[in-house]
Amino acid sequence: MKKTILIIAALMAAFVARADEGMWLLPLLKSLNADVMAAEGCRLTPEQIYSVNQSSLKDAVVIFGRGCTGEIISEEGLLVTNHHCGYSSIQALSTPEHNYLMDGWWARSRAEEIPVPGLDVTFLVSMEDVSDRANAARDQEGGEGLQKFIEELENAASASNPGCEATVESFYSGNVYYLILYKKYDDVRFVGAPPSAVGKFGGDTDNWVWPRHTGDFSMFRVYDKDGKPLKPRRSLEISLKGVRENDFTMILGYPGSTQRYQTAAELETMLASQEVSIACRTIRQDVLKKWMAADPVIRLKYADKYADSSNGWKKWQGEKLSFERIGLLDQKRREEAAFQQWVDADTLRQRKYGSALREISAAASGSTGALCTAYLLFEAPFSIELPQLALQYLRAGMEDGDPGQVLAQYKDYDAAVDKDVARVMLDYYRKHASEAMALDSLGTGYERFADIDIDQYVDYLFAESAFTSREKLEKAAADTTFALQVLDDPAVVLANVMMGKMYGVIPALIMLQYGIPASRTYTAGLLEYYGDRPLYPDANFTMRLTYGKVLPYEPKDGLKYEYYTTLEGVMEKEIPGDMEFDVPSKLKQLYQARDYGRYADKKDGRLHLCFITDNDITGGNSGSPVLDADGRLVGLAFDGSWESMSSDVLFEPELTRCICVDIRYVLFCVDKLGGAGYLLKEMKIKK
Ligand code: ARG
């Protein structure tokens, strides 16, 4: 195990003086990053950031739910994350009468905090390099041997660490393996959030864009098994000092996925499948948008579904533009040609890596069609909720699951909206799917997909199915004949036909899930080839650290963006009554009175809202703590900038910026705007 680390350490040592690119592994900070971090201004030792035996900063950083980061900010389990990370939970708790999502809300006491069913928070306990054993298992017994080794290790580690979950994760495309221990808490309660007009100010228009004026935060509390507020191993101190240009910052969190080492062929495949998703979502989102604008009840029901869809949709469009601007594919091809030349210059290298690139290219290009087919299936018919509800309900009944969970989903379901979606998506699917993927046999009179009158079919589907509302379903399910009849329910028939088509795309999905086998060899080659380049592993939703600086940027010739924004900008952007740019009247009053209290900037007296840094983050990092040189919380990371949308694939130091909400704005929103200042008493706030 040491060997791998040492090789990587040596390879990276030469690089580290470069830009602030890199999502670094915590156990390697000491060997790889400590010197540069100190030179850039960090006043903490690697052990203060990551230690297995002592409490360290990493103990305050958690996985929030399924795909975000959060941090503990009090000794009583108080947690802060982004508003967009708490969004689905807050939405699930909201009703038109108690619309926490739109209106904001704060618990007035612990007793008022609201449990969020299904939400959990996960702490990292430890990480251990097990590459030597994993690679030995593979060398001796192939992929199955590796799989067996992983399973046995996970089981043994879970058994010897009660209360923990063990998982083995692969890094550098399967060249390095870590055994990771996690501890999960599933009693998480909603403490409060600002109204959407603050937490999501700017909406989709401002999403992925700087300058930004969003108070993107929400608060929860973690409870232990006895129902008492969790006593954490570590909670973060908060600094009210604010940030200045060139200040050192570091971010700990869970970046989800990057493609920094992918080949041009793989990127082309990725772009092609994203194109399919963009096209489908454009159509579906237009339908949702129309309904949401017309009806506040539907707006609430579909708020999270819409935000989730449009976030990726906008990201992929930005990525495409960025890639074109920098000529990414050509650049990649040139790099690959140089790599191949280096390989071919040496017989040993040739033997090890000679065919890797060719194999990757063949696998990637060979799967593009199947992958696009799969995306079309998932983004078009599978985006209709009705067959999904039917499928989930039947599954819950069969595999002693919980049909109640499916019934609960009807709170956020509207059959009229879904019917509209079904119409446009089936029509789109029919126009673009191959004959082999046609949804034939949808019922009597609807045998051939090609001949169906889609409007008529959708009318029939929604009129005849028992799954269009909770009431209808409960009534039907109470009937003793339900089990016999349900397989003929048109939504079940549709679901079955769709599932049948899914089998055809399974090979593409397996590749998507496990990657191309030759990637491992190629990455090993890259590790050897790029002696002096950043070879931290691609993001894989394990905890990482990125260090950097507060920095402005110049998105184009003659234009320079400041590194921070202030409340003035909210007033400038205000569009009264608008879904994205409305400003709460309380916020306006506070602005008019310049009533910022101790949250005002010490130098200019204004209220600073957001700032940017060149830290290296991606989706999954949302909610991550932005820490100063002493490890104190100065902000929360929540987005990237439009000009740096290439960053999952290529980090451009001059343009890549991480967008953060200033912790002073967060506390202002809790205290002055939300009237929940009592919460600040449990925080450790440093002036
Ligand atoms: N772009 C952010 C991310 O991927 C999400 C921002 C959510 N805001 C919104 N308007 N949808 O983490």
Side-chain angles (χ1 to χ4, degrees):
M1 116 193 163
K2 293 237 172 49
K3 195 176 63 192
T4 340
I5 293 180
L6 285 180
I7 293 174
I8 298 166
L11 289 176
M12 285 195 279
F15 150 72
V16 276
R18 220 190 121 203
D20 292 329
E21 168 176 357
M23 301 174 176
W24 304 99
L25 279 166
L26 297 172
L28 301 184
L29 289 180
K30 192 170 177 173
S31 52
L32 300 184
N33 314 104
D35 292 348
V36 182
M37 285 172 69
E40 290 204 2
C42 182
R43 286 188 285 270
L44 298 180
T45 62
E47 290 77 19
Q48 289 174 306
I49 298 168
Y50 174 84
S51 164
V52 174
N53 302 314
Q54 262 120 50
S55 122
S56 56
L57 278 185
K58 77 112 169 69
D59 295 314
V61 182
V62 300
I63 300 176
F64 181 81
R66 291 285 101 90
C68 273
T69 305
E71 52 273 11
I72 305 293
I73 52 167
S74 87
E75 291 296 304
E76 291 159 87
L78 189 62
L79 176 153
V80 63
T81 184
N82 286 152
H83 186 262
H84 78 263
C85 293
Y87 205 73
S88 62
S89 300
I90 304 169
Q91 192 260 351
L93 298 175
S94 295
T95 59
E97 297 73 40
H98 299 282
N99 197 335
Y100 308 131
L101 194 68
M102 294 303 153
D103 307 335
W105 179 80
W106 289 96
R108 299 285 132 192
S109 69
R110 287 264 154 103
E112 277 187 24
E113 294 173 1
I114 311 173
V116 187
L119 177 63
D120 48 40
V121 157
T122 306
F123 289 77
L124 170 66
V125 179
S126 64
M127 294 181 74
E128 181 194 344
D129 189 328
V130 295
S131 311
D132 278 359
R133 283 186 284 157
N135 288 324
R138 176 173 31 214
D139 290 346
Q140 281 154 26
E141 299 165 70
E144 270 175 40
L146 175 66
Q147 220 35 56
K148 197 169 130 240
F149 164 77
I150 289 178
E151 263 166 45
E152 284 172 5
L153 186 60
E154 287 177 345
N155 291 339
S158 298
S160 57
N161 294 280
C164 289
E165 286 170 30
T167 156
V168 172
E169 296 288 347
S170 133
F171 298 79
Y172 301 96
S173 312
N175 284 285
V176 169
Y177 290 85
Y178 272 85
L179 169 67
I180 309 180
L181 277 184
Y182 289 114
K183 193 161 183 166
K184 194 176 264 181
Y185 291 84
D186 56 14
D187 183 353
V188 184
R189 305 187 194 170
F190 178 46
V191 173
S196 283
V198 169
K200 206 186 176 199
F201 182 76
D204 290 322
T205 304
D206 274 8
N207 189 17
W208 299 112
V209 173
W210 180 258
R212 196 65 157 275
H213 300 85
T214 311
D216 199 340
F217 80 97
S218 57
M219 287 188 185
F220 294 79
R221 191 185 303 279
V222 187
Y223 283 75
D224 67 18
K225 307 270 174 275
D226 309 325
K228 301 220 176 60
L230 176 77
K231 296 261 167 278
R233 272 186 93 185
R234 182 61 167 258
S235 66
L236 297 179
E237 289 179 353
I238 294 172
S239 167
L240 289 185
K241 269 204 205 121
V243 295
R244 301 271 171 249
E245 187 168 339
N246 281 316
D247 276 0
F248 175 85
T249 50
M250 61 185 167
I251 295 178
L252 282 166
Y254 283 87
S257 151
T258 53
Q259 299 83 36
R260 300 253 168 97
Y261 306 113
Q262 288 205 354
T263 65
E266 289 172 287
L267 294 171
E268 274 179 321
T269 304
M270 179 182 102
L271 285 168
S273 60
Q274 286 178 357
E275 204 59 48
V276 176
S277 301
I278 294 169
C280 291
R281 290 187 185 198
T282 304
I283 297 170
R284 176 165 171 267
Q285 286 170 198
D286 279 346
V287 172
L288 297 185
K289 215 165 25 190
K290 186 190 78 196
W291 283 93
M292 288 167 78
D295 183 343
V297 174
I298 291 178
R299 196 197 307 178
L300 176 61
K301 284 185 180 197
Y302 281 84
D304 185 50
K305 293 171 190 171
Y306 187 88
D308 192 41
S309 175
S310 72
N311 190 48
W313 171 80
K314 190 168 179 185
K315 175 183 172 168
W316 299 321
Q317 294 177 71
E319 264 185 339
K320 191 178 163 195
L321 288 173
S322 271
F323 292 171
E324 282 165 4
R325 175 176 52 77
I326 53 187
L328 182 88
L329 292 175
D330 284 340
Q331 191 172 322
K332 279 272 169 191
R333 281 193 199 97
R334 280 196 300 273
E335 284 168 15
E336 286 161 26
F339 171 80
Q340 192 65 45
Q341 218 173 20
W342 171 82
V343 170
D344 291 339
D346 178 285
T347 39
L348 181 63
R349 292 201 292 253
Q350 229 172 16
R351 209 163 50 221
K352 284 197 288 186
Y353 315 124
S355 62
L357 269 175
R358 269 194 306 280
E359 283 172 41
I360 294 175
S361 292
S365 335
S367 68
T368 306
L371 212 55
C372 290
T373 300
Y375 273 86
L376 181 61
L377 188 66
F378 290 131
E379 296 278 357
F382 272 96
S383 76
I384 309 167
E385 295 170 87
L386 186 69
Q388 300 263 33
L389 286 164
L391 205 60
Q392 286 174 28
Y393 187 80
L394 294 190
R395 279 213 193 116
M398 280 188 304
E399 301 157 7
D400 59 24
D402 179 10
Q405 265 182 8
V406 183
L407 291 176
Q409 291 184 39
Y410 281 97
K411 170 182 167 286
D412 297 324
Y413 179 73
D414 188 290
V417 176
D418 196 30
K419 194 171 165 183
D420 248 1
V421 169
R423 253 186 230 117
V424 294
M425 292 330 294
L426 288 177
D427 182 53
Y428 184 84
Y429 185 73
R430 186 163 65 185
K431 286 193 183 117
H432 293 86
S434 67
E435 215 169 293
M437 293 299 287
L439 304 176
D440 289 327
S441 314
L442 291 179
T444 316
Y446 302 105
E447 281 84 9
R448 261 177 55 90
F449 192 47
D451 304 331
I452 289 177
D453 176 330
I454 292 212
D455 285 350
Q456 198 193 60
Y457 167 70
V458 171
D459 282 345
Y460 152 78
L461 174 68
F462 280 78
E464 297 302 317
S465 174
F467 292 91
T468 53
S469 76
R470 180 173 178 145
E471 296 68 37
K472 207 170 161 188
L473 175 56
E474 281 179 319
K475 199 161 155 246
D479 196 310
T480 46
T481 59
F482 181 68
L484 293 174
Q485 285 167 4
V486 72
L487 291 181
D488 295 327
D489 185 288
V492 176
V493 174
L494 174 59
N496 276 331
V497 171
M498 282 159 42
M499 289 302 288
K501 295 298 158 195
M502 212 170 84
Y503 291 115
V505 298
I506 280 179
L509 299 181
I510 290 178
M511 200 197 82
L512 204 61
Q513 167 102 22
Y514 294 102
I516 298 169
S519 295
R520 176 168 167 255
T521 322
Y522 176 57
T523 308
L526 283 181
L527 282 166
E528 200 178 319
Y529 173 67
Y530 283 126
D532 58 348
R533 285 276 300 271
L535 286 176
Y536 53 88
D538 258 324
N540 60 353
F541 207 57
T542 55
M543 200 195 280
R544 305 292 180 92
L545 177 140
T546 147
Y547 53 84
K549 287 191 236 20
V550 176
L551 281 179
Y553 73 109
E554 294 178 25
K556 52 183 153 195
D557 186 42
L559 181 63
K560 182 171 169 183
Y561 280 142
E562 215 18 294
Y563 69 86
Y564 66 94
T565 57
T566 69
L567 192 54
E568 272 82 14
V570 170
M571 305 308 149
E572 285 171 7
K573 285 180 175 173
E574 182 188 12
I575 305 174
D578 184 75
M579 269 168 57
E580 298 184 314
F581 291 99
D582 194 38
V583 179
S585 54
K586 178 91 186 280
L587 186 60
K588 273 196 273 193
Q589 286 161 20
L590 290 164
Y591 168 70
Q592 271 141 18
R594 304 293 188 272
D595 183 3
Y596 309 146
R598 58 175 167 154
Y599 312 111
D601 187 72
K602 308 267 181 304
K603 212 157 126 195
D604 63 22
R606 300 200 289 173
L607 187 65
H608 287 213
L609 266 47
C610 299
F611 62 89
I612 45 175
T613 70
D614 68 349
N615 289 92
D616 189 0
I617 67 157
T618 187
N621 268 116
S622 287
S624 294
V626 185
L627 305 166
D628 67 10
D630 297 304
R632 292 187 179 133
L633 188 65
V634 291
L636 268 63
F638 73 93
D639 210 355
S641 64
W642 190 245
E643 297 80 10
S644 61
M645 296 302 284
S646 70
S647 67
D648 279 357
V649 177
L650 187 88
F651 184 98
E652 294 181 276
E654 300 305 322
L655 290 176
T656 303
R657 291 295 176 268
C658 159
I659 304 180
C660 315
V661 55
D662 193 310
I663 199 67
R664 295 171 298 177
Y665 186 42
V666 169
L667 297 185
F668 166 88
C669 288
V670 174
D671 183 1
K672 297 265 175 188
L673 185 69
Y678 79 94
L679 284 169
L680 276 70
K681 292 205 189 85
E682 61 182 287
M683 301 176 196
K684 297 175 282 187
I685 298 175
K686 306 277 168 203
K687 294 188 201 87

